[in-house]
Amino acid sequence: MIDAGSTDEKITVIGLGYVGLPLALALAGKYQVKGYDADARRLDELTRGIDRTGEVPGARLRATSLAWTRDIGDCADSSLFIVTVPTPIDAGNAPDLSALIAASRAVGGIMRKGAIVVFESTVYPGVTENVCGPELARASAMECGRDFFLGYSPERINPGDKSHTVESIVKVVAGQTHQVVERLAHVYGAVVPAGVHAAPDIRTAEAAKVIENAQRDINIAFINEVTMIFQRMGIDTQSVLAAARTKWNFLDFRPGLVGGHCIGVDPYYLAYAATAIGHDPEVILAGRRINDGMAEFVAGEIASRLGGPSRVLMLGLTFKENVADLRNSKVADMVRSLEGAGHEVSVHDSLAAADDARALYGIELLTDLDGAGGFDAVVGAVAHDAYRGLTTADLRAMLGENGLVVDLKGIWPDAGTDGLRHWRL
């Protein structure tokens, strides 16, 4: 086994998305690194200095020593494999481990004795050792814990966040043996100045990750529920929150749609594991029900203010501001709900790819906002910088007579005081 302090580590990062790409680039500054992805289009773009996620500038891609490949056989000489593939949920909200299993089989088919395989994907406790380990063993015809070893280091990337990067977030590491943990601490520590935290075992590290986003989900669900209550009471939620946050220990969460591939997904992994051992995860699933129902609630509030069938302009479709990621977008749910109530909805997104919107949701994005006008409502659904730049005059030009501005993200704080009909969460 390679010494924990060695710089001779050869590393392959499996999956070059929001998580894998920044990590692979960081590691390539210190080690020999290969970046593997099965998506030929993705690799072609990366080799030309294009990151469609918008996370990495072209200059950094063109300058890296990282070797790109979609042939897993090219990675056979690696001593360390880091798996960063997605772990979504299926139609029944159960964990979908298919990508993780496929990656394990691919790595198992080519790895050599002594290899360490580290998983960064969010899972419930036990997946690394009880699902991935056996898949690796079968594919390699080697014994887990003797011929190869497992590790877990949960990803903590926040898409679109230029402050909390790979290098600035403490890295949790865990492994089958003390020697594995030492090696992972050295490898990650070389590129993460924020430091490394060694968890006592793999299941603990898996559990730590899965509760991070579940905690946020529950806190947002509470704010969403009180927002529903205050709407019925005729109280402005934002004014309530402004008053409440003057107390030093008030948790400053905001109401809104909860989508994406983390907060809207990870709690279901924890709930699945809880149910499997006979525990009813009441709080976790209650939070999910509230947040999953928020799009329909907002659509209903908009519809009630519009009356009959109306023309609505939706600004933003991605799951959060300033990212192009459309996965698990709750704005799409809101569009469907409004259309189901008879409203005509046009959608624009300043960052999302039109092909992705069409493929995922059957939504045709407006190519631009030039000439957009006569709408009964303009909905600020995602706080992209492009929409924050819109003035009250811009909004007025998009609206018909007595048109409604709906601000779900605090994008236009002055709209309600500048003569426009206005509603906000």
Side-chain angles (χ1 to χ4, degrees), residues 97-171:
L97 301 177
S98 58
L100 205 59
I101 291 170
S104 298
R105 291 172 179 170
V107 171
I110 56 99
M111 70 180 182
R112 298 172 182 174
K113 283 191 176 183
I116 295 176
V117 185
V118 184
F119 295 88
E120 292 215 357
S121 309
T122 302
V123 294
Y124 54 84
V127 168
T128 299
E129 293 163 297
N130 300 335
V131 178
C132 301
E135 291 291 348
L136 286 162
R138 277 190 289 271
S140 65
M142 292 192 287
E143 183 178 334
C144 185
R146 186 190 69 180
D147 301 320
F148 70 91
F149 301 89
L150 299 174
Y152 186 76
S153 182
E155 61 87 4
R156 285 173 157 178
I157 291 290
N158 184 26
D161 188 338
K162 303 306 180 185
S163 299
H164 299 96
T165 60
V166 170
E167 295 85 354
S168 65
I169 306 171
V170 172
K171 205 78 173 77

Side-chain angles (χ1 to χ4, degrees), residues 28 48 91 129 134 270 301 311 381 385 415:
R48 292 186 289 116
E129 293 163 297
L270 183 56
E301 291 294 312
R311 294 181 65 233
D385 288 344

Side-chain angles (χ1 to χ4, degrees), residues 182-395:
E182 282 191 336
R183 230 167 109 185
L184 296 182
H186 174 76
V187 169
Y188 283 112
V191 298
V192 180
V196 174
H197 173 89
D201 52 61
I202 289 174
R203 293 174 76 248
T204 298
E206 291 170 325
K209 170 55 184 173
V210 81
I211 70 167
E212 289 175 10
N213 285 323
Q215 182 189 63
R216 288 187 59 79
D217 191 48
I218 291 165
N219 278 285
I220 296 169
F222 170 74
I223 296 299
N224 277 340
E225 185 166 41
V226 298
T227 296
M228 297 175 188
I229 294 168
F230 295 151
Q231 288 293 329
R232 290 195 174 192
M233 291 180 171
I235 300 173
D236 179 62
T237 303
Q238 296 300 329
S239 297
V240 173
L241 295 177
R245 70 174 66 99
T246 60
K247 189 181 180 192
W248 78 93
N249 61 351
F250 181 77
L251 301 180
D252 191 15
F253 288 87
R254 312 295 172 95
L257 307 179
V258 183
H261 50 90
C262 292
I263 298 179
V265 171
D266 295 356
Y268 285 120
Y269 274 71
L270 183 56
Y272 176 87
T275 303
I277 59 171
H279 177 81
D280 181 14
E282 297 179 70
V283 174
I284 296 167
L285 290 181
R288 280 284 77 230
R289 283 192 296 272
I290 291 169
N291 287 341
D292 275 349
M294 197 62 180
E296 186 174 355
F297 167 77
V298 172
E301 291 294 312
I302 295 171
S304 70
R305 287 162 173 78
L306 293 177
S310 305
R311 294 181 65 233
V312 177
L313 174 61
M314 191 74 60
L315 296 181
L317 183 61
T318 62
F319 86 90
K320 67 176 291 187
E321 64 273 9
N322 297 325
V323 300
D325 197 343
L326 288 167
R327 288 177 292 174
N328 195 26
S329 166
K330 295 304 177 184
V331 179
D333 292 348
M334 188 165 56
V335 170
R336 284 192 287 264
S337 185
L338 285 168
E339 288 178 338
H343 301 282
E344 178 188 329
V345 184
S346 299
V347 184
H348 179 269
D349 193 288
S350 59
L351 294 177
D355 289 347
D356 292 341
R358 187 180 304 113
L360 285 171
Y361 305 113
I363 292 176
E364 295 291 337
L365 295 179
L366 297 176
T367 55
D368 55 54
L369 294 174
D370 293 343
F375 289 97
D376 299 295
V378 173
V379 182
V382 184
H384 292 322
D385 288 344
Y387 303 143
R388 288 191 179 279
L390 294 175
T391 66
T392 303
D394 294 327
L395 295 173

